[in-house]
Amino acid sequence: EAGVAQSPRYKIIEKRQSVAFWCNPISGHATLYWYQQILGQGPKLLIQFQNNGVVDDSQLPKDRFSAERLKGVDSTLKIQPAKLEDSAVYLCASSLWDPQSTDTQYFGPGTRLTVL
Amino acid sequence: QKEVEQNSGPLSVPEGAIASLNCTYSDRGSQSFFWYRQYSGKSPELIMSIYSNGDKEDGRFTAQLNKASQYVSLLIRDSQPSDSATYLCAVTSGGGADGLTFGKGTHLIIQP
């Protein structure tokens, strides 16, 4: 079974530029998450999708970050304009949807963003 | 604001000994608790989940949960150099499909 795919793996941009990340979850996984992991910290949830609907985006800086999951499969996360403090690894994860169960979130390899 | 606290370490343990990792959480409504392992430059990997008070064992790993004290721990028996990694504690208010709140992680070093 293929895992969560992300691209690009690395990205370097200047501040105030825009950038987009792509995620393809494990086949059949209805729930998709984007996390931000700053060096030395644990991942922080940015947004959670259930199929193509948003479940939780309370920690997404909506003035500069946006995300979509148009057909309930792939997702893109965009930052516009980027700030220095956005330098981090952006992790995509997916899981089956069963609120009563012991679902596991599977993480992709991440995209390492450096903002200069 | 939900918070998960971990000692960042590094925690140094001799090979073959027991490594003990601890985590406290602020939200009394938390229902599900997870330990992830993260090697440098890699993504987190789930190693243990626990949902009720007490101990849960899986091979060399034992997770312990005490909801009254809002405390979760992970014991690694017969520690191996390959166990050297950062261990992240994560909690959620619902089931495993809910978004996770992570601690900063504990850096564990197993000394040969």
Side-chain angles (χ1 to χ4, degrees), chain A residues 2-24:
Chain A
V4 177
Q6 291 188 247
S7 68
R9 292 295 310 279
Y10 305 92
K11 190 73 176 179
I12 300 174
I13 62 172
E14 303 270 338
K15 61 183 179 183
R16 292 187 290 272
Q17 286 186 324
S18 62
V19 65
F21 312 127
W22 173 82
C23 173
N24 180 245

Side-chain angles (χ1 to χ4, degrees), chain B residues 25-99:
Chain B
Y25 58 94
S26 63
D27 181 9
R28 283 198 171 273
S30 298
Q31 297 292 325
S32 305
F33 307 86
F34 306 88
W35 284 99
Y36 281 80
R37 178 175 62 199
Q38 188 172 31
Y39 292 114
S40 181
K42 302 296 185 182
S43 57
E45 172 193 14
L46 180 68
I47 53 172
M48 288 288 289
S49 59
I50 187 166
Y51 302 91
S52 55
N53 282 328
D55 295 0
K56 179 181 178 182
E57 186 174 319
D58 184 2
R60 296 186 297 113
F61 299 96
T62 299
Q64 300 173 317
L65 174 61
N66 183 327
K67 289 186 178 180
S69 301
Q70 296 175 243
Y71 177 88
V72 193
S73 66
L74 179 71
L75 300 178
I76 307 175
R77 290 182 298 281
D78 188 23
S79 296
Q80 303 296 310
S82 59
D83 295 326
S84 297
T86 295
Y87 288 80
L88 297 161
C89 175
V91 306
T92 182
S93 299
D98 286 0

Side-chain angles (χ1 to χ4, degrees), chain A residues 47-106:
Chain A
I47 190 167
Q48 176 183 350
F49 292 95
Q50 167 66 16
N51 294 311
N52 60 351
V54 175
V55 175
D56 182 359
D57 64 355
S58 58
Q59 299 189 96
L60 186 74
K62 298 179 184 66
D63 58 333
R64 298 184 301 106
F65 286 64
S66 64
E68 61 183 10
R69 192 183 184 199
L70 289 176
K71 295 184 179 179
V73 181
D74 293 4
S75 178
T76 57
L77 176 70
K78 298 179 181 178
I79 308 175
Q80 181 179 11
K83 293 185 175 182
L84 296 177
E85 58 260 37
D86 298 331
S87 294
V89 175
Y90 291 84
L91 295 162
C92 180
S94 70
S95 71
L96 293 168
W97 174 250
D98 183 350
Q100 306 302 319
S101 81
T102 58
D103 280 354
T104 297
Q105 294 185 27
Y106 296 90

